[in-house]
């Protein structure tokens, strides 16, 4: 089974159509805990993508605030032994992926105002630079009965195939693509040309047919960079995505507070880095589709950094919100204090009871908004 949610007969008009793919167990690669093999380009099965794909699916299924009602959700998973998921669905073989993409695109053509949502987690390769040149690998990658790259899909085909193909094409004009994978370029790739990758969607460029989509495309890493995860946990980028879905927010008038492509990008970029310290890549038209309309601003994560970081005996740290006389306590960890607060105006108070120390008290007032990124640095010297 691939189609987990099917509300096509019960929801009229535009809806939210999701296709989510998590490839962890590869049939023809070593296990995630086995040594790599040069014969399979040093690729092994993974221990994280299925967990991220499952978590994103659960979040979509349980979130009632999407801008369009969840109309269809398709899910393909190949978990490794270390990944535990409550879903029992078809594996992401190339044939299953091919069928799911075609059916998903057909459902996304129910209304121009629908939202198309695509997530892929697994091994990614690259055949060149740019967002159109990433290769998504399926669970039957390197099946010896087929050419090496026969079980891959190229982002160019997916992105271009979801563009309007005619003046009467009602494909969703609001599209979100998320590629949670590496974009490395193995030396072996030099031996293959573009014809080694089979197309899935038809791509037709017709004069006079405008590509008027509003899209957001998210990549876990830049070109020629590896994505990271810990075995048995969600991918680093998948965790950052879920955090952004739940906690991002941006206020653009008219329209009020929303979680759109820009809000997601801002949240991720302020909190997520890979082990290589390279930031993910977000490409979007305008501000990207709106995922959620919020009734008000979301809470804000604040980091208070005290310098120097040495612990001072008797130091008291707190935030006081104005105009309400509310004091928010924070817990100290080596000079760093983390606290979540409602948006508003706050005064940071750092005090040292005399005569225990010769440090100077600190009072600093700031307006805290959801797009607050930099830590609040308070400096005190003895």
């Amino acid at each position: 089974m691939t189609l987990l949610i099917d509300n096509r007969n019960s929801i009229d008009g535009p809806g939210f159509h999701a296709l989510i793919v998590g490839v962890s167990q590869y049939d023809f690669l070593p296990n995630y805990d086995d040594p790599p093999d040069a014969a399979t380009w040093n690729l092994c099965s993974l221990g994280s993508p299925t967990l991220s794909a499952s978590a994103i699916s659960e979040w979509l299924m349980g979130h009632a605030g999407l801008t369009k009602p969840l109309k269809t959700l398709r899910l393909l998973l190949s978990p490794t032994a270390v990944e535990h998921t409550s879903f029992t669905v078809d594996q992401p073989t190339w044939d299953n992926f091919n069928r799911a993409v075609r059916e998903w695109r057909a459902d996304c053509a129910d209304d121009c105002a629908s939202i198309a949502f695509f997530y892929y987690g697994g091994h990614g390769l690259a055949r060149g630079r740019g967002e159109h040149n990433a290769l998504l690998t399926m669970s039957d990658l390197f099946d010896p009965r087929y050419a090496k790259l026969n079980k891959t899909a190229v982002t160019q085909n997916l992105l271009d195939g979801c563009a309007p193909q005619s003046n009467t094409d009602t494909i969703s004009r609001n599209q979100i693509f998320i590629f949670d994978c590496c974009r490395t370029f193995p030396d072996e790739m030099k031996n293959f040309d573009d014809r080694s990758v089979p197309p899935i969607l038809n791509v037709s460029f017709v004069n006079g047919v405008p590509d008027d989509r509003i899209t957001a495309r998210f990549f876990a890493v830049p070109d020629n960079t590896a994505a990271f995860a810990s075995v048995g946990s969600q991918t680093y980028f998948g965790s950052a995505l879920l955090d952004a879905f739940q906690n991002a927010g941006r206020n653009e008038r008219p329209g009020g507070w929303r979680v759109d492509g820009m809000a997601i990008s801002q949240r991720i970029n302020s909190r997520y880095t890979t082990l290589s310290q390279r930031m993910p890549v977000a490409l979007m038209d305008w501000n990207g589709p709106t995922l959620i309309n919020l009734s008000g601003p979301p809470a804000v994560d604040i980091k208070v950094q005290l310098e120097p970081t040495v612990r001072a005996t008797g130091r008291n740290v707190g935030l006081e919100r104005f105009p309400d006389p509310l004091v928010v306590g924070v817990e100290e960890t080596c000079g760093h204090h983390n606290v979540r607060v409602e948006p508003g105006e706050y005064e940071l108070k750092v005090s040292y009871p005399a005569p225990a120390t010769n440090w100077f008290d600190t009072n600093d007032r700031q307006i805290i908004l959801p797009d607050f990124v930099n830590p609040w640095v308070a400096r005190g010297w003895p």
Side-chain angles (χ1 to χ4, degrees):
M1 180 178 69
T2 300
L3 186 59
L4 282 185
I5 301 293
D6 185 3
N7 293 321
R8 291 173 293 186
N9 294 328
S10 59
I11 297 177
D12 295 327
F16 192 104
H17 299 283
L19 173 55
I20 299 175
V21 182
V23 192
S24 296
Q25 183 67 50
Y26 286 82
D27 297 335
F28 302 99
L29 295 183
N31 288 328
Y32 68 91
D33 55 353
D34 287 339
D37 188 343
T40 54
W41 300 2
N42 292 315
L43 299 175
C44 295
S45 291
L46 303 168
S48 296
T50 287
L51 294 177
S52 288
S54 298
I56 292 173
S57 300
E58 291 173 350
W59 182 82
L60 289 175
M61 294 168 65
H63 201 285
L66 298 174
T67 52
K68 297 293 185 291
L70 185 59
K71 208 167 184 178
T72 63
L73 189 150
R74 289 176 170 82
L75 180 62
L76 295 169
L77 298 175
S78 61
T80 48
V82 74
E83 295 169 292
H84 302 287
T85 174
S86 59
F87 297 110
T88 302
V89 295
D90 293 335
Q91 291 194 348
T93 63
W94 193 90
D95 287 342
N96 288 341
F97 180 77
N98 177 23
R99 181 172 59 253
V101 169
R102 291 174 177 272
E103 293 174 350
W104 169 71
R105 198 227 187 258
D107 285 339
C108 291
D110 64 345
D111 196 295
C112 290
S114 288
I115 295 179
F117 181 94
F118 176 89
Y119 170 88
Y120 169 86
H123 275 306
L125 304 171
R127 63 179 189 182
R129 295 186 178 276
E131 62 171 317
H132 289 83
N133 286 307
L135 294 184
L136 314 180
T137 64
M138 301 303 129
S139 62
D140 47 353
L141 177 71
F142 294 158
D143 185 332
R145 298 172 298 174
Y146 299 91
K148 284 286 188 182
L149 298 182
N150 185 263
K151 304 303 180 182
T152 66
V154 63
T155 50
Q156 179 174 7
N157 181 249
L158 297 178
L159 296 172
D160 292 346
C162 285
Q165 305 293 305
S166 69
N167 286 318
T168 60
D169 192 346
T170 55
I171 184 70
S172 163
R173 298 310 201 261
N174 304 283
Q175 301 180 5
I176 301 173
F177 290 90
I178 301 169
F179 304 106
D180 188 1
C181 57
C182 299
R183 299 170 71 184
T184 53
F185 187 72
D187 289 339
E188 292 84 353
M189 287 285 291
K190 300 174 183 178
N191 300 323
F192 299 90
D193 62 21
D194 293 350
R195 290 170 294 180
S196 301
V197 181
I200 293 178
L201 295 176
N202 292 320
V203 178
S204 176
F205 297 105
V206 180
N207 290 334
V209 178
D211 185 355
D212 55 352
R213 295 175 292 171
I214 299 176
T215 67
R217 289 90 66 203
F218 295 95
F219 291 85
V221 290
D223 283 322
N224 200 29
T225 306
F228 295 95
S230 297
V231 171
S233 301
Q234 295 178 32
T235 64
Y236 296 168
F237 190 62
S239 296
L241 277 170
L242 279 173
D243 170 74
F245 293 165
Q246 297 169 11
N247 299 306
R250 199 171 64 88
N251 188 16
E252 179 177 316
R253 301 290 182 184
W257 289 94
R258 64 183 66 178
V259 180
D260 60 7
M262 183 63 69
I264 294 170
S265 176
Q266 289 175 344
R267 175 88 183 184
I268 291 176
N269 284 334
S270 67
R271 288 162 176 80
Y272 165 82
T273 57
T274 67
L275 293 180
S276 64
Q277 299 301 306
R278 295 188 179 183
M279 302 303 294
V281 178
L283 305 165
M284 64 195 71
D285 306 307
W286 300 100
N287 296 317
T290 299
L291 192 65
I292 306 167
N293 285 321
L294 301 174
S295 58
V300 187
D301 296 318
I302 297 298
K303 176 185 287 186
V304 179
Q305 178 178 323
L306 303 181
E307 296 181 355
T309 58
V310 296
R311 187 180 299 273
T313 304
R315 181 166 60 187
N316 298 313
V317 181
L319 291 176
E320 183 175 338
R321 189 173 69 192
F322 293 89
D324 302 324
L326 174 64
V327 176
V328 181
V330 292
E331 181 179 354
E332 180 179 4
T333 304
C334 297
H336 295 273
H337 305 253
N338 300 312
V339 63
R340 169 170 269 202
V341 300
E342 296 299 319
E345 187 175 5
Y346 288 85
E347 184 173 12
L348 172 66
K349 293 185 176 181
V350 184
S351 62
Y352 310 86
T357 69
N358 295 320
W359 294 63
F360 295 105
D361 293 350
T362 299
N363 290 320
D364 186 16
R365 187 180 297 184
Q366 292 188 23
I367 296 177
I368 305 301
L369 297 175
D371 57 358
F372 185 84
V373 174
N374 297 319
W376 198 336
V377 179
R379 295 177 171 88
W381 304 94

